[in-house]
Amino acid sequence: MAIQITYRRTSRLSMRIVKNGDVHVSAPIGLSRDRVIAFIEEHRDWISEARKKTSERQQQRNAFYDKLPLTTRAQADDALRRLKALIEPMVERHAKEMGVRPSRVFFKPTISRWGLCNVRDRSICISAYVLLLPEWCAEHVVVHEMCHLLEPSHNARFHALMDKYFPRWREARRETRRVASLSK
């Protein structure tokens, strides 16, 4: 277990466990190293439990994304074919309804985001992993990104657009999170 100590302009000691299990400690500037080490020692049980939970979450996450293998050209080509068949009709249908059309739609195997909208060039990127979601949750991702073509930020207007064009968006977001976290 690696421990990284960072001195910052903060009023208290804090720590967190990062994805690889390392411990990151933030300490106020000027606090003695002995006091920081004592803090770490006092929280050994918490560290152990938090590292275990972090490891379990990471294993669940990996198990979810491993359901869509993309390591060979044939796998990637098959995923692209399936993505186009699923997403392109959704984009067409919602483009007519919303009165907005992306300049292009492309796909990447991103795990940090389900979708991304570049408002400058008006393109939309959809994660290949939407194939692991129920179809209505994938549609939520499409509508979400298309709404960004009308409203770049997540403000009240954006939420009103989501309510108008995909009224079940909150439920879809919850289901997407549930599906992605229950992947053991």
Side-chain angles (χ1 to χ4, degrees):
M1 161 180 71
I3 298 175
Q4 177 183 324
I5 301 170
T6 305
Y7 288 92
R8 317 193 148 155
R9 299 178 89 190
T10 183
S11 60
R12 62 183 181 87
L13 277 165
S14 64
M15 76 172 103
R16 65 186 178 95
I17 310 300
V18 295
K19 287 180 186 175
N20 69 0
D22 288 354
V23 179
H24 286 195
V25 179
S26 293
I29 295 170
L31 189 68
S32 74
R33 186 161 179 81
D34 289 343
R35 179 61 196 114
V36 174
I37 299 301
F39 175 77
I40 294 167
E41 288 301 322
E42 290 166 14
H43 292 86
R44 281 280 175 206
D45 290 344
W46 178 88
I47 291 170
S48 177
E49 191 61 32
R51 289 182 79 227
K52 182 178 162 192
K53 286 179 183 175
T54 299
S55 175
E56 288 170 1
R57 274 194 307 272
Q58 203 58 35
Q59 287 172 3
Q60 284 178 326
R61 184 179 170 103
N62 292 343
F64 177 76
Y65 290 107
D66 286 348
K67 290 178 185 176
L68 181 65
L70 297 170
T71 52
T72 68
R73 169 55 60 197
Q75 290 169 336
D77 288 347
D78 179 59
L80 181 60
R81 180 190 54 73
R82 290 171 46 212
L83 279 162
K84 286 182 174 186
L86 175 67
I87 302 300
E88 287 178 355
M90 290 178 188
V91 170
E92 280 302 311
R93 185 171 67 254
H94 289 289
K96 289 176 186 167
E97 180 187 359
M98 298 169 75
V100 66
R101 182 171 299 283
S103 61
R104 74 180 184 125
V105 177
F106 61 101
F107 308 96
K108 284 186 175 182
T110 58
I111 60 172
S112 60
R113 297 178 182 203
W114 295 109
L116 182 68
C117 176
N118 183 326
V119 292
R120 277 184 300 221
D121 71 8
R122 303 188 59 74
S123 66
I124 291 176
C125 177
I126 303 293
S127 172
Y129 294 105
V130 299
L131 289 172
L132 299 174
L133 299 176
E135 187 172 325
W136 70 287
C137 293
E139 186 171 7
H140 158 255
V141 173
V142 170
V143 174
H144 181 108
E145 299 313 328
M146 290 182 69
C147 279
H148 279 307
L149 295 172
L150 298 169
E151 176 54 55
S153 65
H154 290 119
N155 59 18
R157 179 172 181 255
F158 175 84
H159 291 119
L161 289 166
M162 286 299 296
D163 288 338
K164 179 178 180 179
Y165 296 116
F166 200 85
R168 295 177 62 196
W169 70 269
R170 288 177 180 87
E171 186 183 346
R173 183 175 60 183
R174 276 193 303 274
E175 180 66 8
T176 298
R177 289 174 177 164
R178 188 190 70 75
V179 167
S181 68
L182 296 178
S183 56
K184 272 191 171 176

